[in-house]
Amino acid sequence: MNAIMIALIGILVFYLGYRYYSKFVAEKIYRLDPDYETPAHKYKDGVDFVPTNKWVLWGHHFSSVAGASPILGPAIAIYWGWLPALVWVVLGTVFAAGVHDFGALVLSVRNKGQSVGTLANRIIGQRAKILFLFIILILVLMVNAVFAWVIANLFITFPSSVLSVFIQIPLAIWIGHLVYKRSGNMLFPSIAALATMYVTAVIASRVPALQIDLPRYFGGAENTVMFGLDGISMSFFVWIIVLMVYVYFSSSLPVWKLLQPRDYINSHQLVLGILILYLGLFFSNPSITAPMTNSEASTPWFPLLFITIACGAISGFHGLIASGTSSKQLNKETDARVVGYLGAVGEGLLALISIIAVATLFTNQGAFLEAYNSFGAAGEIGLGSFIEGAGQLATGLLIPADIASTIIAVIIVSFAATSLDSAVRLMRYIISELGNEYKVKSLTKTHVATSIAVVSSAALVLIPEGPQGFGSGGYLLWPLFGTANQLLAGITLLLITLWLKRLGRNYFVTLVPMVFVLVMTLYAMLRQVVFEWSGYGGGELNVLLFLLGSIILAFAFWILLEAANALRKDNTNFPTDKDQSM
């Protein structure tokens, strides 16, 4: 099939989903009320609870949930062919991710801006909260550790991208001061900031002196610098420490100082990047060389496809962002449709172009099958294939390939940094909630909670030797990411479904995707724990993944039993729409 035709079909389905289905959900199911006093107004503190323009908040939400995952997952899943990946991305976005992200945002707004972890306690019970917090902490730790390595790796691979990324920080702080202290407009300064970043990227691509190339400074892989670390390992160490120091301050600052303006700039990056790639696609009209379905795949697509593509179809991490940072900034409840559902659609568009970029990268089907010769190989080359394929699409707009690669690296690093910042901030919220729950006052302090989040993330990155070498310790747990992430998404849908049922609403819009996601995830989890990590299926015993996977699996069945029990309870005292506090 023609690549442009694939893109047009996907875009049309996304448009119909937002135009009609999200409107139906907003008006008939969630029943958004423009006069409802949101937590951003009720608990306004100028730090976390800040009423925010819906497009600025959409920028924060979109760039926080985007990260690198909607690119990486589809770029790996195309191993099974472009058709299964395409179908899951399109239908998953419209019927699962949209109602999930949208619903988590509304549920949190109707409950004081509390996270899904706390809401599990209130909707299902105290014991369910333990599972939620366990899964959330594992998930966020993995995101922090792996994204830190991804950013460090991109800085090392594309040193021409570093200067643009660092220039964004003072520009974002300046914009935040301009908007919130002087009541200025954020749009034009953000566009100017973005232009500055890209001009810098173009110049740095052609001027080696502007490329912050740490491996070259440290003498490369052949030179031992200190502590037995060669030039490459030392580069990873320096970048990861720099990132952890940065994320400590960025996640502690009031959201308007750095998070909101930087994410608003990133949302422009995202929109511009997507436009460049789609326009490049339409002008270059490349051929699809990847197979529609890969009959030579030795790893079955069912059910692994549904945990390989998480962000870009449906992701539990989105529920954390929606109920963690976005719900505390929602100005009007009716803005939730734009922020939540349209944010999911934006991710779907990114996942769609990721599929097309990789599907059109190779010269012929044989070259694709040679590169994607195993599921493991797909995991190793997925991100690189996207960057190369996206650069190839951008040449359709006469952008030189080296400059296109630098700009795409800047975009990916910006998204990953946003996710890293938001994930550390979420860890702070969770630790503080635990402090409140168990009366440990010190844990409610911002700097104590942030220090615990940053130090534990850094320890996971640096202490264990990961499969990608020094600094990639987070990858030891990464095989759990897909199942933990999708399990969280399924349980978040379960919470929304219970909430709707107790309010007497039609809950099938969340029940159906909930059943699908939970069944696929538990099936995949059983398969991995029993046949891959236990050593039973002929593979080697992986004690760490087997134990953690078994615990998560046991907790998953436990919370389902708790939910079934909660459904049987008398809910006559459950609050109605007039009693928003539950």
Side-chain angles (χ1 to χ4, degrees):
M1 181 178 283
N2 183 277
I4 292 177
M5 186 61 67
I6 292 175
L8 289 176
I9 290 172
I11 292 170
L12 177 63
V13 177
F14 289 149
Y15 168 75
L16 295 175
Y18 179 73
R19 177 70 179 81
Y20 296 104
Y21 190 57
S22 75
K23 187 171 186 291
F24 163 75
V25 173
E27 294 178 354
K28 305 298 182 184
I29 307 299
Y30 297 148
R31 300 181 190 174
L32 303 185
D33 179 2
D35 297 323
Y36 177 67
E37 185 181 22
T38 62
H41 289 280
K42 194 169 184 177
Y43 308 107
K44 184 177 179 181
D45 61 2
V47 178
D48 296 318
F49 292 87
V50 179
T52 305
N53 175 279
K54 66 180 178 183
W55 292 111
V56 174
L57 183 56
W58 177 83
H60 156 69
H61 184 81
F62 185 18
S63 53
S64 293
V65 300
S69 296
I71 293 169
L72 185 57
I76 295 173
I78 200 173
Y79 164 71
W80 293 297
W82 60 262
L83 183 61
L86 175 72
V87 172
W88 175 227
V89 163
V90 172
L91 298 183
T93 295
V94 172
F95 295 108
V99 294
H100 169 273
D101 299 10
F102 187 6
L105 182 57
V106 175
L107 179 62
S108 177
V109 166
R110 291 273 169 163
N111 291 276
K112 306 177 182 178
Q114 292 176 327
S115 71
V116 288
T118 299
L119 293 173
N121 179 24
R122 303 185 66 185
I123 295 177
I124 301 179
Q126 172 68 22
R127 285 173 296 190
K129 184 175 181 178
I130 298 172
L131 164 67
F132 246 72
L133 293 180
F134 179 79
I135 295 174
I136 290 170
L137 286 175
I138 289 287
L139 187 65
V140 174
L141 262 177
M142 283 188 285
V143 168
N144 293 343
V146 172
F147 278 24
W149 184 89
V150 166
I151 295 172
N153 186 43
L154 287 175
F155 277 165
I156 291 170
T157 309
F158 299 97
S160 54
S161 68
V162 178
L163 197 56
S164 294
V165 173
F166 277 83
I167 279 178
Q168 187 186 31
I169 297 171
L171 288 173
I173 293 174
W174 168 68
I175 292 171
H177 180 78
L178 185 70
V179 171
Y180 287 93
K181 293 297 183 182
R182 299 185 181 180
S183 302
N185 185 291
M186 192 179 284
L187 177 62
F188 294 109
S190 297
I191 293 174
L194 187 60
T196 303
M197 290 173 63
Y198 284 178
V199 168
T200 304
V202 170
I203 296 173
S205 298
R206 299 298 170 85
V207 180
L210 296 178
Q211 299 174 7
I212 303 176
D213 191 352
L214 291 190
R216 181 162 57 87
Y217 300 157
F218 289 132
E222 306 301 322
N223 184 44
T224 299
V225 182
M226 61 175 66
F227 309 127
L229 299 177
D230 61 32
I232 300 295
S233 297
M234 194 66 195
S235 301
F236 272 104
F237 178 76
V238 170
W239 280 132
I240 287 169
I241 294 299
V242 168
L243 287 168
M244 290 298 161
V245 172
Y246 157 76
V247 82
Y248 177 89
F249 288 104
S250 65
S251 62
S252 305
L253 289 172
V255 291
W256 60 267
K257 279 193 176 178
L258 177 60
L259 184 69
Q260 285 183 351
R262 190 201 56 201
D263 292 355
Y264 194 54
I265 298 171
N266 286 344
S267 69
H268 294 320
Q269 282 205 76
L270 198 51
V271 172
L272 183 62
I274 288 174
L275 276 176
I276 288 174
L277 295 181
Y278 277 97
L279 287 176
L281 167 68
F282 292 127
F283 278 101
S284 60
N285 191 19
S287 299
I288 294 284
T289 52
M292 180 180 292
T293 57
N294 184 4
S295 59
E296 298 182 16
S298 55
T299 302
W301 67 273
F302 187 86
L304 294 182
L305 172 70
F306 305 104
I307 61 170
T308 302
I309 301 180
C311 301
I314 180 172
S315 164
F317 185 70
H318 296 190
L320 297 182
I321 297 294
S323 66
T325 55
S326 301
S327 64
K328 296 176 176 61
Q329 302 171 63
L330 197 71
N331 186 38
K332 291 184 177 180
E333 192 177 68
T334 45
D335 294 347
R337 181 185 170 206
V338 169
V339 176
Y341 199 98
L342 194 59
V345 169
E347 275 234 326
L349 281 170
L350 193 56
L352 177 62
I353 199 64
S354 177
I355 293 170
I356 293 172
V358 178
T360 57
L361 170 64
F362 298 93
T363 53
N364 52 54
Q365 192 170 115
F368 172 88
L369 293 173
E370 184 178 354
Y372 277 71
N373 55 42
S374 69
F375 187 59
E380 291 175 4
I381 67 171
L383 185 59
S385 296
F386 167 77
I387 293 176
E388 196 176 345
Q392 186 171 281
L393 290 179
T395 58
L397 296 180
L398 304 180
I399 301 174
D402 60 332
I403 291 175
S405 296
T406 298
I407 291 176
I408 290 166
V410 169
I411 293 173
I412 294 175
V413 169
S414 300
F415 297 163
T418 298
S419 297
L420 186 63
D421 180 347
S422 297
V424 171
R425 192 176 287 263
L426 285 171
M427 280 192 76
R428 170 163 70 83
Y429 292 162
I430 294 167
I431 293 167
S432 296
E433 286 181 8
L434 282 171
N436 280 320
E437 185 76 22
Y438 296 103
K439 313 299 181 190
V440 183
K441 192 174 179 181
S442 59
L443 293 181
T444 65
K445 305 294 183 186
T446 297
H447 291 290
V448 172
T450 305
S451 297
I452 294 172
V454 171
V455 170
S456 59
S457 300
L460 180 59
V461 178
L462 294 172
I463 294 177
E465 181 76 19
Q468 310 273 7
F470 177 77
S472 65
Y475 277 95
L476 292 172
L477 301 179
W478 193 246
L480 280 169
F481 175 81
T483 48
N485 191 47
Q486 299 307 73
L487 181 59
L488 187 60
I491 296 173
T492 300
L493 283 169
L494 172 63
L495 293 177
I496 302 168
T497 302
L498 286 170
W499 176 63
L500 291 173
K501 182 176 183 299
R502 289 171 177 179
L503 291 174
R505 311 270 182 83
N506 181 349
Y507 52 87
F508 283 91
V509 294
T510 54
L511 178 69
V512 174
M514 178 203 83
V515 171
F516 181 81
V517 170
L518 283 178
V519 168
M520 290 301 108
T521 303
L522 292 174
Y523 181 20
M525 189 175 284
L526 271 171
R527 189 176 180 280
Q528 288 181 314
V529 170
V530 176
F531 295 107
E532 293 182 24
W533 301 331
S534 71
Y536 174 75
E540 293 184 5
L541 171 64
N542 188 320
V543 177
L544 179 66
L545 292 178
F546 176 70
L547 288 177
L548 282 175
S550 299
I551 292 171
I552 292 176
L553 185 61
F555 276 15
F557 284 111
W558 177 20
I559 199 170
L560 290 178
L561 291 174
E562 294 282 347
N565 186 48
L567 278 172
R568 290 197 299 269
K569 289 181 179 176
D570 179 6
N571 298 309
T572 53
N573 294 325
F574 201 80
T576 65
D577 283 358
K578 298 297 182 185
D579 180 9
Q580 309 293 355
S581 65
M582 293 183 66

